[in-house]
Amino acid sequence: MSSSKHSSALRRLALSVLQPGFVGTEAPDWILRDIGDGLASVVLFSRNIVSTEQVARLTGQLRAENPDLVVAIDEEAGDVTRIESATGSSRPGNFALGTVDDAELTEAVAADLGRQLRAAGVSLDYAPSADVNSNPDNPIIGVRSFGSDPDVVSRHTSAWIRGLQSSGVAACAKHFPGHGDVAVDSHHDLPSYPAGREEIAAQALPPFRAAVAAGVRAVMSGHLLVPAYDPDLPATLSRRILHGLLREELGYDGLVVSDAIEMGAVTRRHGIDGATVKAVAAGVDAVCVGGESAEEATVALLVKALTTAVTGGELPEERLADAADRVREFARWSAGLRAAGDAGTTAGVGDGIGHIAARRAVRLTGAARAALPLTAAPHVVELAPVTNMAVGKETPWGVAGPLRERLPGTTSVRVRGQELEEGTVALERAALGPAAGRPLVIVARDVARHAWMSRAVTGLTAARPDAIVVEMGLPGTATTAAAQIFTHGASAASGVAAAEILTTTSAD
């Protein structure tokens, strides 16, 4: 093969192992050109989405260049939603489903989501999170996990995969080998999971074993250091973890996708180009990029890094070709899965299963049940934490909106910790004053993880012992309020379920 032909073939191989994002609700010219040159996958984010119908037009435009193109999305339902980022998810997330602990319900919710994604032209969903949230102070997983019990997480990981893939969309279990017992957000720096191999095998690996047994076709690596397997390199860059543990020990033979390669956990030490090369060398088949770095120049940089690494001997060409083969095999399988699924419409989507699941996940204390239903329009105080980057800032959450629909005259205020610390907002004026002579509803999100929120809840409930606290994150012990409602997630579906219970539940 001539040098120019080899260079062109190498470029096609490099393009084929990338899963880039882009900006806009229509495909930019550079993405279409790259698809023509060998790009085999793209990933969609909320910036690409207006409606299911619009996404279907977009994916049709993309697939006009390659009918087998893999179109991925980071759609977990619950708090992390892209397809419904403008409205909030109409389905509860993993923690709510794990709380109900009905595997058939979880499978039905995932199948409902799968039908919507398939109608939009999506073929790969970066979900479910198979992480066991064994550290309650985890800043990145939390309600994205089915829970803290490996058996519960395994059961629902399997059910979620079965449901999604039954609708013609491939599932992707993440974040291997388990991101649930860390205290650092990998978007910013490298977390460490210091447990020994026996503990990892008992605590973190069972859901991934269950995912493999359920026929999951993609696994996403986590950007975390697991010294028991590799003291030097995070899982995404570690052959010991991706090949030795995932492929050889767990017997997984499907597609390995990296978590977003621009995340600080890997780029702070290796750069985005160095991390990409090391990831593919370690066993990653498809490199997700473009949540934050969605420019044509980023793809060009990574293609150059991969081809240069091959010609320089840093990355064996056989490993790059093997990764490209796995992507092609996945693309062919995925195209067949879409074709074999039910009708490519949204028929049956949104038939109420999300609402049913969210309602079943709500738990009340006895004091809350005795205080309900609300008969007068309340004042709602929503305590808003800074969320991690997986949760879209644009995604609405809370209880005030759906309460206002049911009790006209409901008023609300959203308060952030920084505002309280700076003194720009005072709870007396923002919360207690407007609630005088009316019911007070306090909405919190992971109150046990935020000292400012705990102080706010304690102060408000001391002043108003009759206040009702709605916790939309992980239940904790930080609040002393007797009247509490737990939704186990902050999806739109969970907000509606809480509002319904606030206005209809009585002590019967």
Side-chain angles (χ1 to χ4, degrees), residues 73-364:
I73 195 170
D74 185 20
E75 173 61 54
E76 300 177 14
D79 289 28
V80 179
T81 179
R82 311 301 178 214
I83 200 73
E84 295 182 296
S85 64
T87 58
S89 178
S90 58
R91 306 168 185 93
N94 286 2
F95 189 52
L97 294 171
T99 297
V100 178
D101 198 13
D102 178 345
E104 289 185 1
L105 179 69
T106 294
E107 186 170 341
V109 169
D112 182 58
L113 173 61
R115 288 190 292 272
Q116 182 180 12
L117 295 180
R118 182 174 175 273
V122 170
S123 51
L124 169 62
D125 186 9
Y126 295 154
S129 168
D131 307 295
V132 180
N133 197 59
S134 47
N135 181 352
D137 200 37
N138 190 321
I140 186 67
I141 302 300
V143 296
R144 300 168 65 193
S145 167
F146 289 110
S148 58
D149 182 329
D151 290 339
V152 171
V153 177
S154 298
R155 186 158 57 245
H156 292 278
T157 293
S158 298
W160 214 96
I161 290 165
R162 288 194 304 270
L164 189 77
Q165 294 190 166
S166 73
S167 295
V169 176
C172 178
K174 64 185 184 185
H175 307 81
F176 188 81
H179 215 305
D181 193 9
V182 302
V184 172
D185 185 342
S186 51
H187 288 96
H188 306 298
D189 208 344
L190 180 63
S192 179
Y193 180 21
R197 290 196 181 197
E198 286 188 9
E199 182 181 338
I200 292 169
Q203 186 73 20
L205 293 182
F208 291 98
R209 293 186 185 277
V212 173
V216 74
R217 293 298 296 238
V219 169
M220 177 176 282
S221 64
H223 298 332
L224 70 160
L225 197 66
V226 190
Y229 285 94
D230 193 327
D232 303 313
L233 292 169
T236 297
L237 313 182
S238 172
R239 181 169 174 80
R240 296 179 191 176
I241 292 174
L242 296 185
H243 185 77
L245 178 58
L246 180 59
R247 294 248 186 249
E248 292 185 344
E249 186 174 327
L250 268 64
Y252 175 67
D253 194 38
L255 189 74
V256 175
V257 183
S258 78
D259 204 349
I261 205 67
E262 67 264 43
M263 289 166 63
V266 290
T267 59
R268 285 184 63 163
R269 290 161 179 80
H270 306 284
I272 191 171
D273 48 351
T276 296
V277 170
K278 290 180 182 298
V280 175
V284 165
D285 304 310
V287 177
C288 171
V289 63
E292 303 300 313
S293 303
E295 306 82 17
E296 179 181 6
T298 299
V299 173
L301 172 68
L302 300 189
V303 167
K304 182 178 180 181
L306 288 166
T307 56
T308 301
V310 170
T311 56
E314 182 184 356
L315 173 64
E317 186 170 349
E318 295 78 13
R319 168 77 276 265
L320 183 62
D322 174 62
D325 284 344
R326 286 186 186 277
V327 172
R328 278 194 291 269
E329 178 189 358
F330 177 88
R332 287 193 295 269
W333 171 84
S334 176
L337 188 68
R338 290 198 316 278
D342 50 15
T345 70
T346 54
V349 173
D351 58 2
I353 191 66
H355 175 263
I356 291 167
R359 183 73 183 250
R360 287 182 62 187
V362 177
R363 301 290 183 266
L364 284 73

